Amino acid sequence: QVHLVESGGGLVHPGGSLRLSCAASGFMFSDSAMSWVRQVPGNRPEWVATISSGGRLTRTAEFAKDRFTISRDNFKDTVYLQMDSLKPEDTALYYCARCPHFQTGCVPDRDQWGQGTQVTVSS
């Protein structure tokens, strides 16, 4: 079964940076597109970015363009989200998720997500 473990979250000041990691197991990682999804508790999930299985193609939500970069290392079965110029409105739980196919806006069912890592942007 899909097992995803996010890490790298924390508290950062506005304008700061964080690099999130997601370690994958339980499936053929190199065959799967991956997404980052964020969610404020009680709100709807919000798509952040998606990367193709080989890492050649990426799609990023408008709010994340020029600030967030999704990448992956298929030798390490790990996907990353580099977040720069963080804003208070970026505060959320950040999840990585397995997408069956590369698709802009991919937010799969919750059973394809990890446990999440908290990102808090505050002064």
Side-chain angles (χ1 to χ4, degrees), residues 20-82:
L20 308 184
S21 298
C22 171
S25 61
F27 64 100
M28 185 60 70
F29 179 75
S30 61
D31 287 348
S32 297
M34 300 293 295
S35 281
W36 285 96
V37 176
R38 70 185 188 184
Q39 187 172 30
V40 177
N43 289 11
R44 297 177 184 177
E46 184 177 33
W47 173 72
V48 177
T50 300
I51 189 166
S52 63
S53 60
R56 295 182 180 179
L57 302 174
T58 63
R59 299 288 186 270
T60 310
E62 283 296 324
F63 71 81
K65 289 181 177 177
D66 301 322
R67 298 194 299 126
F68 294 5
T69 303
I70 188 170
S71 62
R72 68 192 296 159
D73 185 342
N74 284 352
F75 293 107
K76 296 182 177 180
D77 288 355
T78 302
V79 61
Y80 305 95
L81 185 69
Q82 177 67 42

